[in-house]
Amino acid sequence: MKFTYLFVLIWLAFLISSGVLLFSRGFLLARVSKTETSTCRRLSTNPNAEYVLTDEVVNEIFKDINASSNLCLPQKSKVIVLVVDALKYEFGLYKENADDPLPYENKLLVLQELLQQSPDHARLMRFRADPPTTTLQRLKGLTTGSLPTFIDIGSNFASPEINEDNVIDQIVKSDLPVVFLGDSTWTDLYPRRFKRSYSFPSFDIFDLDSVDNQILKHLPKELASDDWQVLVAHFLGVDHCGHKHGPLHEEMARKLSEMNEVIRSVVAGMDNDTTLFVMGDHGMTASGDHGGDTDDETNALLFAYSKKHRFYGNESGSDSEMLQQIDLVPTLATILGVPIPYSNLGLVNFNIVPDLQVPHLSKFQTLLLHSWQNAQQIYQYFFQYALENKRTFNVEQMDQLETEFILLTHRVQNIYNEVAYKSFIRDLNIHLRDILGTCREIWIRFDPTQMSQGLLFSFLPLFFIFLLVNNSRPADYAHIFKGKEVFYTYLINLAAGVFGYRYFKTFYFKTEEHGVIFFTALSSALILAFHTLRHWTKIATNWSEVKRFAHMPTRLLLFASVGVFFSNSFVIQEAKILSYLLAASILLLSYELLRLSARLEFRTKFKISQFLRSTALRLILASILAICLIRFTYTLFRCREEQGNCTDFANSGGAGFSIKKPGTGKTYILAVVVLVVYTTLTRLYLRSCGNLTGNSPNVLLARYGPTVASICAGGHVLLANSSIKNIQRTHIDAMALVIYGLLLLQIIVVTWAPLMTFVLPPRSSHTVTINGSESIVPEIFKKMKRMYEGDDDERRNQIPVVYGLATVYSSIVIAFGVFLALVMIVILEPRASIGMVVCVAVGSILLSVHGILRYRTATSFESCVQPTFTALVGWFLLAHFCFFATSHQTTLSQIEWRAAFVGRTTGIGQSNFISGILVILNTFCGPIFFFCMYSLLSTETFSLFALFPNLIRSCRNSSGKTDATTSITDLANEAVGFDMTRGELTLYEYEDVFLGTGFKLATQFFMLQGLKVFCAMMACTIHCRHLMVWKIFAPRFIYEALATFVSLPALIVGYLLVLRIHRAVDTLIKRINKEKVH
């Protein structure tokens, strides 16, 4: 039965998660990738070629230009593409008379020199990227010419091979050799495409030079070679410098100066028949981040240069100031004489195409042929896509676009001079941009079926958890969830999943995944409904005992926290809203405690002196301290672009905090001090509980491990952010690896021997006599009671003393939490780690206040072990508030990618899986930590009164006066019906209620988290056509969905930890029983 609850939790977590996943498939469903490829007949001036360009061929072409879509004109030049990652547009601008330029200004002087020397041979343009501005998505756009899918941002750590038609494949198919140097993302996207490739790992952002130096090592040799037609080099140093230091650091000046020399050397080494492109794949914010859709992130730089041939000018009709990144694909295809990729939506920009005379064709005929082939390719893709994916686009809009294109097909037949060409090309470009705009507006095709089913299958588990679990007593769960029935439930779900996988097409589902989720969720809902109906009598009875308007203030706090999702302004200010709600929950606990104190301790006459000495005052002061700490975290919040005073998105450095800017030494020292205080206080607490006595594995680890980990964490904080250059990166990473190793060791020890107790054998031959079937525990405590009350005979008869038994459960959870917190602290930025420790302090105060309050209001063991609803909501709010307190925001551009590289240099490993785990731990450190520690809400009352037994006397709630000689045990028995002085050992004696309560508490957190993500899903459904849906609501849903996917497993881990401790306690008690019998 102990593990039956665990399997039920896994089952419920699967149901909630699958509903969220199904909704995301409908809401974030992007365009369907097309696998068709473009082909063409390559015309050549070589008489021996298969298709020779002659006057007769030209005349045939212009007799019916609409039939020319499968023709490619001859290649115009070779191409060199230098991709400088994160090369922002402002980095290439030259500012005259700049006396004190910023580190990124006036460093690429070679661009200005070429523009002045050869204005017809050089172009500097704004290179506009489509969001999301992550490198992987930008490379897809730069090679396919298509718009990126929104959810593709999640694959930035796992680059899949591109299966859409793209310019790289078209170049290779046309027998044009390609050589690549640099970022290994290219070889992940296009394996086996390059004649030669020199690829290097791209994710060690602390390394500014290794990849660039490797490129420079091979680049001169490749420039001198003549066996390639396209050369691509992708430099990473500027992007890594932005991530590590930001654009305002002197290192940025160094890297840009290096790029200036690289460009100069390439220009000097390239031949006259080569066109050079220098470009950035995206920009960066003032803090060095990217990923979002701000102007700083989407405005990259493009520089084009041709030694011998001038570029087309304004007569071509192309934009001369800005180039959409997707326009690069048809432009490269035009220069190289290869087919434009099938899924391309970009336009040829002739301002960067060399003006080479094509034999037998005039200039305007060449331009017209290229432009019309581009238009036919876009038209074919767009309308074929609309035909295959009906109801994706508005019918009236499609009819209008089709009519306009038909008119253009008639006009193109009558272009005989440059004047007619300019008029036609202007209207053609407007029409093609309308198609692009239509795709941008309605490209994300919502699937209402998957969205509605996702909402339904997320709601049903929450509904049945509320009815079945929340309204049942912990002792009843053993009858509701029987082991054999849970086993059959898994078998039914397995059968339903197989059925959905096999017959998904029969029910018109598009994917196997949809079929599996639908049938497993449906069968599970029916099973839960069956359980609910079978036990409805007990459920209704328990429900009727609940006051209708109980916990109304706490309910309002909960509804306010989930109502945030329905307003864009509330989402923007969510950090402050959560801080108010968390403070309100603590105030509610304090108010209830003060109200009880006034009724119990001062029922006859209020005395100031008595109140000043009371426990209630100390806890109220602690509550005020918690609220002050919450207010302090305002200094740690990161701001959003929508907040006008946000320094993270300012164009110049200003006052305020950005965790990417060089911090002050005070911040780092404070982070180390807070870290040391946290580990020291935790160690002192465990020692005072007696849990550091003895030499068991977990005791030794808890005694010395946090000290070693705090030293390593402090050293990592100071050295990783130090400007000292002679410290090897491997030495800094070794400190982080030690902390990782200690957490792994803690997990192993908890699995093997978790207890932090020490059994002191008796010093005399006197023993406690019991029968073999009896338990030793009551006899031990009876004997201890008689010794405490002054029985000298009993004092002389020694009994086994077990150190740490009063906190046997919570001590292990706390020790585990210390190592988990230290891992998170080392992954976080120094200032964010302060926020993590502050949240732990607030959680400790919340536990203390609730522990006293729970004892005063409890009437039985069950009510004592079950936390109040206010404490439950407060813990839940604290878990999510910690997200903002650790300097995170729900925007895509502020994901802490640097966490992926903490402790992982290029020589230690490049696992993308580990990178993702570290980023998840950094981003969702709050929910993971507090949900793993959730069992403390049930145990803190017992450990508190075991450590401070006099609290029982001060918190007595009897109506009459109590004799001072009355024992504490009798007071506890009179108050709550059992001996509170036993501490957490009482939990073992009432194991059915305790384990049932732990299960109920976990399901209640399931319900709260499920309600939160359900509201996020509902808000996205309501606002799916809102102006800010992709900027605010969709990212907020993605963060909440990911928080759900990590919170539910964290709660399961927390319950599994309790089960493991309970089993070890059972083994210990049985061993003591056996020894006493013999």
Side-chain angles (χ1 to χ4, degrees):
M1 180 52 62
K2 297 175 183 177
F3 287 93
T4 300
Y5 295 152
L6 180 66
F7 289 113
V8 174
L9 288 177
I10 295 173
W11 174 41
L12 295 176
F14 166 76
L15 294 180
I16 297 172
S17 301
S18 60
V20 175
L21 182 63
L22 187 59
F23 177 86
S24 67
R25 291 289 188 261
F27 176 65
L28 298 174
L29 182 67
R31 62 184 180 85
V32 179
S33 298
K34 310 295 289 184
T35 57
E36 292 90 339
T37 59
S38 299
T39 58
C40 73
R41 292 181 296 170
R42 300 187 68 193
L43 299 177
S44 174
T45 57
N46 185 354
N48 298 322
E50 183 177 1
Y51 302 104
V52 182
L53 186 61
T54 62
D55 288 331
E56 291 78 10
V57 172
V58 172
N59 291 333
E60 289 295 325
I61 291 173
F62 284 95
K63 280 183 181 179
D64 185 10
I65 193 172
N66 289 311
S68 65
S69 60
N70 63 338
L71 297 176
C72 290
L73 294 180
Q75 179 180 353
K76 294 176 173 53
S77 73
K78 299 197 298 183
V79 171
I80 296 176
V81 178
L82 300 183
V83 181
V84 182
D85 209 298
L87 186 63
K88 192 176 177 180
Y89 177 66
E90 286 75 9
F91 291 178
L93 297 181
Y94 180 77
K95 288 190 176 182
E96 297 183 0
N97 303 321
D99 297 331
D100 187 19
L102 295 173
Y104 63 80
E105 291 180 340
N106 295 352
K107 297 300 182 294
L108 299 177
L109 297 176
V110 64
L111 306 185
Q112 180 66 18
E113 294 171 4
L114 294 174
L115 286 169
Q116 290 180 345
Q117 295 171 6
S118 309
D120 293 334
H121 295 252
R123 296 282 189 269
L124 180 64
M125 305 176 70
R126 192 183 299 272
F127 202 29
R128 185 78 176 183
D130 291 295
T133 49
T134 55
T135 296
L136 176 62
Q137 273 59 50
R138 290 299 82 241
L139 293 185
K140 288 182 177 180
L142 286 170
T143 54
T144 64
S146 59
L147 297 176
T149 56
F150 186 85
I151 198 59
D152 268 354
I153 189 171
S155 60
N156 201 50
F157 274 126
S159 308
E161 182 177 354
I162 288 183
N163 56 8
E164 275 190 292
D165 195 11
N166 58 84
V167 72
I168 298 295
D169 284 340
Q170 290 292 355
I171 293 171
V172 174
K173 289 178 183 178
S174 301
D175 297 324
L176 301 179
V178 184
V179 173
F180 172 75
L181 308 92
D183 184 358
S184 60
T185 304
W186 285 80
T187 53
D188 293 335
L189 294 175
Y190 302 108
R192 303 174 302 279
R193 266 55 159 212
F194 304 112
K195 182 180 181 67
R196 287 185 298 277
S197 63
Y198 309 91
S199 62
F200 310 98
S202 58
F203 285 117
D204 185 9
I205 58 170
F206 296 110
D207 187 352
L208 275 57
D209 300 307
S210 293
V211 174
D212 292 359
N213 290 340
Q214 289 294 328
I215 296 174
L216 296 178
K217 178 181 177 181
H218 299 284
L219 186 58
K221 176 183 63 177
E222 292 299 336
L223 283 174
S225 178
D226 60 355
D227 62 347
W228 54 263
Q229 293 296 313
V230 178
L231 186 147
V232 179
H234 190 146
F235 294 87
L236 295 172
V238 172
D239 178 66
H240 288 189
C241 182
H243 283 297
K244 186 176 182 180
H245 301 294
L248 300 177
H249 197 275
E250 289 304 318
E251 283 291 289
M252 183 61 74
R254 179 178 71 84
K255 293 305 301 181
L256 289 175
S257 298
E258 287 182 7
M259 291 301 102
N260 183 70
E261 296 306 314
V262 169
I263 299 170
R264 192 183 300 277
S265 64
V266 171
V267 169
M270 59 188 275
D271 58 34
N272 292 334
D273 294 323
T274 301
T275 302
L276 170 66
F277 293 103
V278 180
M279 67 184 71
D281 56 343
H282 51 74
M284 66 172 66
T285 64
S287 59
D289 293 315
H290 59 87
D293 61 351
T294 65
D295 288 342
D296 283 343
E297 295 166 281
T298 56
N299 285 330
L301 175 142
L302 175 76
F303 176 79
Y305 176 73
S306 177
K307 273 188 176 180
K308 181 179 180 181
H309 306 289
R310 60 184 294 273
F311 292 123
Y312 286 107
N314 293 330
E315 73 278 4
S316 64
S318 299
D319 192 340
S320 60
E321 295 182 357
M322 186 181 72
L323 182 74
Q324 299 280 351
Q325 281 198 355
I326 57 175
D327 293 345
L328 181 68
V329 172
T331 304
L332 286 176
T334 298
I335 295 173
L336 295 168
V338 300
I340 299 174
Y342 180 83
S343 303
N344 166 72
L345 288 171
L347 306 183
V348 179
N349 192 304
F350 294 102
N351 282 288
I352 55 175
V353 175
D355 184 4
L356 271 75
Q357 176 65 40
V358 179
H360 314 290
L361 286 173
S362 64
K363 178 183 292 188
F364 90 87
Q365 287 179 321
T366 303
L367 296 174
L368 179 63
L369 192 56
H370 282 307
S371 298
W372 189 242
Q373 288 173 339
N374 186 192
Q376 287 179 303
Q377 171 266 316
I378 293 176
Y379 175 84
Q380 179 184 4
Y381 167 66
F382 177 68
F383 283 92
Q384 185 65 29
Y385 184 94
L387 183 64
E388 295 178 3
N389 299 271
K390 296 179 180 179
R391 292 181 291 182
T392 300
F393 302 99
N394 183 276
V395 176
E396 295 179 358
Q397 192 175 26
M398 291 297 299
D399 289 341
Q400 180 182 352
L401 291 173
E402 186 175 15
T403 301
E404 291 177 0
F405 189 80
I406 291 173
L407 293 175
L408 290 170
T409 60
H410 292 297
R411 285 182 59 185
V412 74
Q413 301 282 14
N414 302 303
I415 307 297
Y416 301 112
N417 54 52
E418 292 188 8
V419 176
Y421 165 77
K422 288 183 179 180
S423 175
F424 171 78
I425 204 67
R426 181 177 62 251
D427 294 339
L428 178 63
N429 286 345
I430 292 173
H431 173 72
L432 296 179
R433 287 307 189 199
D434 286 342
I435 292 178
L436 178 62
T438 301
C439 291
R440 282 195 170 129
E441 289 176 5
I442 322 177
W443 202 260
I444 300 299
R445 183 176 62 86
F446 302 115
D447 187 332
T449 301
Q450 293 195 65
M451 290 174 66
S452 59
Q453 290 179 4
L455 286 167
L456 176 64
F457 293 140
S458 297
F459 173 76
L460 287 178
L462 306 181
F463 177 71
F464 287 114
I465 287 174
F466 174 75
L467 289 179
L468 187 61
V469 180
N470 197 59
N471 291 293
S472 298
R473 297 188 180 280
D476 296 334
Y477 296 144
H479 304 289
I480 297 175
F481 301 108
K482 297 179 181 179
K484 186 177 294 185
E485 294 179 356
V486 172
F487 174 72
Y488 289 148
T489 298
Y490 270 74
L491 287 182
I492 293 172
N493 276 269
L494 180 61
V498 172
F499 179 83
Y501 184 86
R502 178 66 179 83
Y503 297 104
F504 73 98
K505 290 184 178 179
T506 307
F507 295 89
Y508 303 102
F509 297 137
K510 294 184 178 180
T511 63
E512 296 90 339
E513 178 187 78
H514 189 178
V516 170
I517 291 176
F518 178 85
F519 285 104
T520 54
L522 184 62
S523 61
S524 296
L526 294 175
I527 293 171
L528 286 170
F530 170 76
H531 282 300
T532 303
L533 292 175
R534 191 173 66 171
H535 299 90
W536 181 251
T537 303
K538 288 185 177 180
I539 292 173
T541 303
N542 294 330
W543 201 354
S544 64
E545 296 175 358
V546 179
K547 295 181 180 179
R548 180 174 298 180
F549 298 102
H551 310 296
M552 189 55 66
T554 307
R555 294 181 188 180
L556 293 177
L557 294 181
L558 179 61
F559 292 150
S561 68
V562 298
V564 165
F565 300 105
F566 295 92
S567 169
N568 58 332
S569 58
F570 280 12
V571 172
I572 293 171
Q573 299 294 340
E574 186 177 2
K576 291 185 177 179
I577 293 173
L578 275 182
S579 71
Y580 300 148
L581 299 178
L582 177 59
S585 66
I586 295 176
L587 285 176
L588 281 175
L589 290 173
S590 300
Y591 166 75
E592 186 67 20
L593 186 64
L594 186 61
R595 188 171 63 85
L596 284 173
S597 299
R599 189 173 75 242
L600 299 176
E601 298 179 16
F602 311 107
R603 54 186 177 274
T604 56
K605 184 178 180 181
F606 179 79
K607 296 180 180 179
I608 295 293
S609 59
Q610 183 182 356
F611 177 70
L612 293 177
R613 295 193 305 270
S614 67
T615 304
L617 175 63
R618 297 170 188 172
L619 292 175
I620 291 170
L621 291 177
S623 301
I624 296 174
L625 174 61
I627 295 173
C628 293
L629 291 175
I630 294 171
R631 184 62 182 85
F632 166 75
T633 59
Y634 280 32
T635 61
L636 310 176
F637 289 166
R638 289 192 77 176
C639 52
R640 297 172 59 110
E641 176 203 359
E642 296 84 359
Q643 298 167 333
N645 59 345
C646 182
T647 57
D648 283 336
F649 289 89
N651 289 323
S652 60
F657 166 59
S658 169
I659 64 174
K660 293 299 182 186
K661 296 178 181 178
T664 61
K666 293 181 180 179
T667 301
Y668 301 145
I669 294 174
L670 178 61
V672 174
V673 170
V674 168
L675 169 65
V676 172
V677 169
Y678 167 55
T679 53
T680 302
L681 290 179
T682 305
R683 191 175 184 277
L684 290 175
Y685 171 80
L686 293 175
R687 189 174 68 179
S688 65
C689 296
N691 294 112
L692 297 184
T693 304
N695 295 308
S696 66
N698 209 9
V699 169
L700 293 175
L701 187 59
R703 187 185 301 159
Y704 303 111
T707 303
V708 175
S710 61
I711 292 173
C712 292
H716 189 276
V717 167
L718 295 175
L719 296 178
N721 300 279
S722 173
S723 59
I724 302 174
K725 297 183 178 181
N726 59 353
I727 300 177
Q728 294 186 19
R729 186 73 214 172
T730 52
H731 295 168
I732 300 175
D733 288 340
M735 299 181 185
L737 292 175
V738 169
I739 301 175
Y740 298 162
L742 286 172
L743 176 61
L744 182 61
L745 183 60
Q746 172 70 27
I747 294 172
I748 295 172
V749 169
V750 167
T751 305
W752 172 43
L755 292 187
M756 299 172 62
T757 56
F758 176 66
V759 180
L760 188 65
R763 297 180 181 179
S764 69
S765 59
H766 297 284
T767 59
V768 179
T769 304
I770 59 171
N771 296 324
S773 60
E774 294 178 347
S775 173
I776 189 68
V777 176
E779 294 298 325
I780 290 177
F781 278 99
K782 286 179 183 178
K783 195 155 190 169
M784 292 177 66
K785 174 184 174 182
R786 291 194 296 268
M787 291 174 62
Y788 183 83
E789 293 174 352
D791 192 331
D792 293 335
D793 292 334
E794 291 297 333
R795 287 180 179 177
R796 288 192 294 268
N797 296 328
Q798 298 291 326
I799 62 172
V801 176
V802 184
Y803 287 92
L805 204 58
T807 54
V808 65
Y809 288 93
S810 62
S811 60
I812 302 169
V813 176
I814 291 172
F816 175 81
V818 170
F819 290 102
L820 182 61
L822 286 170
V823 167
M824 293 173 174
I825 286 171
V826 80
I827 294 173
L828 292 166
E829 287 280 356
R831 195 147 187 169
S833 64
I834 299 174
M836 181 69 195
V837 178
V838 167
C839 289
V840 173
V842 174
S844 302
I845 295 173
L846 189 150
L847 288 173
S848 301
V849 174
H850 174 256
I852 301 295
L853 179 63
R854 180 75 287 194
Y855 176 79
R856 290 190 169 187
T857 57
T859 57
S860 63
F861 175 82
E862 180 180 329
S863 59
C864 196
V865 78
Q866 174 64 40
T868 62
F869 184 61
T870 303
L872 189 75
V873 172
W875 193 263
F876 179 76
L877 293 175
L878 177 60
H880 288 279
F881 173 74
C882 191
F883 173 86
F884 298 99
T886 51
S887 302
H888 293 100
Q889 266 293 352
T890 54
T891 58
L892 299 180
S893 60
Q894 292 177 307
I895 298 175
E896 275 295 326
W897 298 117
R898 66 164 290 280
F901 322 111
V902 175
R904 299 175 63 240
T905 61
T906 54
I908 294 178
Q910 298 299 320
S911 171
N912 290 329
F913 176 77
I914 296 177
S915 298
I917 292 295
L918 292 177
V919 172
I920 290 293
L921 282 173
N922 175 286
T923 306
F924 301 104
C925 56
I928 292 173
F929 178 81
F930 287 101
F931 287 147
C932 281
M933 310 279 287
Y934 86 95
S935 60
L936 293 177
L937 286 169
S938 293
T939 62
E940 95 285 353
T941 303
F942 299 87
S943 56
L944 192 65
F945 283 88
L947 291 173
F948 307 102
N950 286 329
L951 285 174
I952 297 176
R953 191 179 299 277
S954 65
C955 294
R956 66 187 184 276
N957 55 6
S958 58
S959 57
K961 293 183 179 180
T962 304
D963 191 348
T965 61
T966 304
S967 68
I968 293 176
T969 300
D970 292 337
L971 287 175
N973 279 314
E974 183 181 356
V976 292
F978 61 92
D979 187 1
M980 182 66 80
T981 58
R982 300 182 189 178
E984 295 174 11
L985 192 60
T986 311
L987 301 174
Y988 171 76
E989 295 182 354
Y990 296 86
E991 63 174 346
D992 290 340
V993 177
F994 170 55
L995 295 179
T997 300
F999 168 74
K1000 181 177 182 178
L1001 188 55
T1003 56
Q1004 286 176 322
F1005 279 120
F1006 274 27
M1007 186 170 60
L1008 294 180
Q1009 182 60 43
L1011 178 64
K1012 201 164 188 280
V1013 74
F1014 177 80
C1015 289
M1017 293 154 59
M1018 185 63 72
C1020 286
T1021 305
I1022 295 172
H1023 297 304
C1024 63
R1025 294 300 178 191
H1026 193 282
L1027 180 65
M1028 306 298 288
V1029 62
W1030 299 119
K1031 190 173 185 64
I1032 292 180
F1033 294 109
R1036 187 64 193 89
F1037 162 70
I1038 290 175
Y1039 270 91
E1040 198 57 48
L1042 291 174
T1044 302
F1045 293 150
V1046 300
S1047 296
L1048 302 187
L1051 288 164
I1052 293 173
V1053 169
Y1055 188 71
L1056 185 61
L1057 186 61
V1058 171
L1059 288 180
R1060 181 65 190 95
I1061 300 169
H1062 182 77
R1063 185 174 180 181
V1065 173
D1066 183 60
T1067 302
L1068 174 66
I1069 297 300
K1070 288 180 178 178
R1071 180 167 59 86
I1072 295 177
N1073 274 327
K1074 186 176 180 181
E1075 290 176 356
K1076 297 307 296 179
V1077 169
H1078 294 288

